Amino acid sequence: MVFDLGHSSDSIQSSKLLATCLIGGVVLGVSVLGFYLAFQPPRQLSWRRKKKPIRVYMDGCFDMMHYGHCNALRQARALGDQLVVGVVSDAEITANKGPPVTPLNERMIMVSAVKWVDEVIPDAPYAITEDFMKKLFDEYNIDYIIHGDDPCILPDGTDAYALAKKAGRYKQIKRTEGVSSTDIVGRMLLCVRERSLSDSHNHSSLQRQFSHGHSQKFEDGGSGSGTRISHFLPTSRRIVQFSNGKGPGPDARIVYIDGAFDLFHAGHVEILKLARGLGDFLLVGIHTDQTVSANRGAHRPIMNLHERSLSVLACRYVDEVIIGAPWEVSKDMITTFNISLVVHGTVAEYNNFPKGNEDPYAIPISLGIYEQLESPLDITTTTIIRRIVSNHEAYQKRNEKKAESEKRYYEDKTFVSGD
């Protein structure tokens, strides 16, 4: 038998050459891919490890929480991916500012309900200390500490955020003009002073001042601790910033609840949370200033319609509001908004309607779509006002103390700048 060794040898050589080319191609391909990946910006790598969220921290007393607080939290959240909020303890507030109107448990409810808040820390210190700042960075993975451009002054006249600024981990947001807790306390104290002057005083004129932003006494430089009536000017942009921007789905179960929601408090939050749990979309009707005055007295509301609307819109349980809702829930309204259920709490300012007035819920009751909810908290706007009135001297001193601290702070800054 004769073997063709020459042909067999050529085949072996060809196979070796092919294998070498294939291996070389693979090695070259891997090298080129490695070179390509090494010089690509990280954002172009789809399999790159997920980016670490930026966590920002903001603290505050959040006493008598209002739309100014909510707007600050909205701005803070926009500076990061997650917002952690520290709520200052009752003891710290008393030591630095005077007694709080709302206790810590109520303030925690309020802050937790704001739609831009991701996490809440109770009993936060009033000033950012070295130890607490380290805890924020190490345990809570905070990247930046946020505060408004208004001064936060300690009793010794120093800046409460000096350490955060020194560490280069401080960011500032713009303060919401036209409202503060001090201002709201002042509105109520003014109301009490005006009412005590004379029972025959024309209260309706004062109510108009609350609603439209006029106070002759203080705008003309009259006596007092700097209290001013609301100067809030609503804009469509602000309302859009606070709105969800989403309507109900085609088959959504829409729940409706209405009220004044004056001095928006923990009782309001808890009943809204309960109402939201009964459907897919919570629609909240906010009564006009005139409606509130007619049913609760000439000195109400303390906050005007647009101020009250923003506070309600900031609540995470609310999907939409009707600004200036009618007193009576009509059949047309139920049809227009496709309302499935109308609810009302057991704790309210006016569950016993004035004599001669029809029940505003008569139509939803007749349609079988009305339900009265057991209110989780026994708190009303009157509760908050009574807290102020019963301790008005302490709150008056608190207002004066804050005004004096801010005055001293700005005088010191002017002096330093003059040097």
Side-chain angles (χ1 to χ4, degrees), residues 187 190-191 194 201-216 219 228-232 288-294 297-305 307-308:
R187 295 189 203 183
L190 175 61
C191 175
E194 292 288 341
H201 178 72
N202 182 0
H203 296 316
S204 63
S205 66
L206 183 61
Q207 176 55 42
R208 286 195 295 274
Q209 291 168 11
F210 280 133
S211 301
H212 299 104
H214 300 293
S215 176
Q216 196 69 30
E219 287 182 335
R228 53 191 168 82
I229 304 306
S230 173
H231 286 180
F232 173 67
T288 66
D289 296 347
Q290 291 75 18
T291 297
V292 177
S293 294
H299 281 79
R300 301 286 190 91
I302 302 297
M303 310 292 282
N304 69 38
L305 174 61
E307 291 177 311
R308 292 181 283 120

Side-chain angles (χ1 to χ4, degrees), residues 304-319:
N304 69 38
L305 174 61
H306 290 94
E307 291 177 311
R308 292 181 283 120
S309 297
L310 288 180
S311 292
V312 174
L313 274 172
C315 181
R316 67 172 71 249
Y317 308 116
V318 175
D319 295 291

Side-chain angles (χ1 to χ4, degrees), residues 34 52 80 166 208:
K52 175 185 172 291
K166 187 178 178 182
R208 286 195 295 274

Side-chain angles (χ1 to χ4, degrees), residues 68 70-80 116 146 172-176 238:
C70 299
N71 193 43
L73 294 173
R74 180 190 66 80
Q75 291 181 78
R77 180 64 170 73
L79 294 176
W116 299 289
I146 316 293
Q172 193 166 276
I173 57 170
K174 186 172 174 55
R175 181 187 181 277
T176 304
R238 180 71 77 224

Side-chain angles (χ1 to χ4, degrees), residues 178-244:
V179 69
S180 68
S181 297
T182 305
D183 166 58
I184 295 169
V185 169
R187 295 189 203 183
M188 284 183 278
L189 292 177
L190 175 61
C191 175
V192 172
R193 286 197 297 270
E194 292 288 341
R195 289 183 67 175
S196 66
L197 289 177
S198 171
D199 290 338
S200 62
H201 178 72
N202 182 0
H203 296 316
S204 63
S205 66
L206 183 61
Q207 176 55 42
R208 286 195 295 274
Q209 291 168 11
F210 280 133
S211 301
H212 299 104
H214 300 293
S215 176
Q216 196 69 30
K217 182 176 180 181
F218 291 105
E219 287 182 335
D220 288 349
S223 62
S225 60
T227 300
R228 53 191 168 82
I229 304 306
S230 173
H231 286 180
F232 173 67
L233 297 174
T235 64
S236 58
R237 184 171 65 91
R238 180 71 77 224
I239 292 172
V240 168
Q241 288 170 340
F242 274 53
S243 299
N244 288 345

Side-chain angles (χ1 to χ4, degrees), residues 46 73 78 83 127 161 163 178 193 202 251 274 291 386 417:
S46 60
L73 294 173
L83 174 60
Y161 294 90
L163 289 174
R193 286 197 297 270
N202 182 0
D251 301 317
L274 199 60
T291 297
R386 281 175 180 162
S417 138

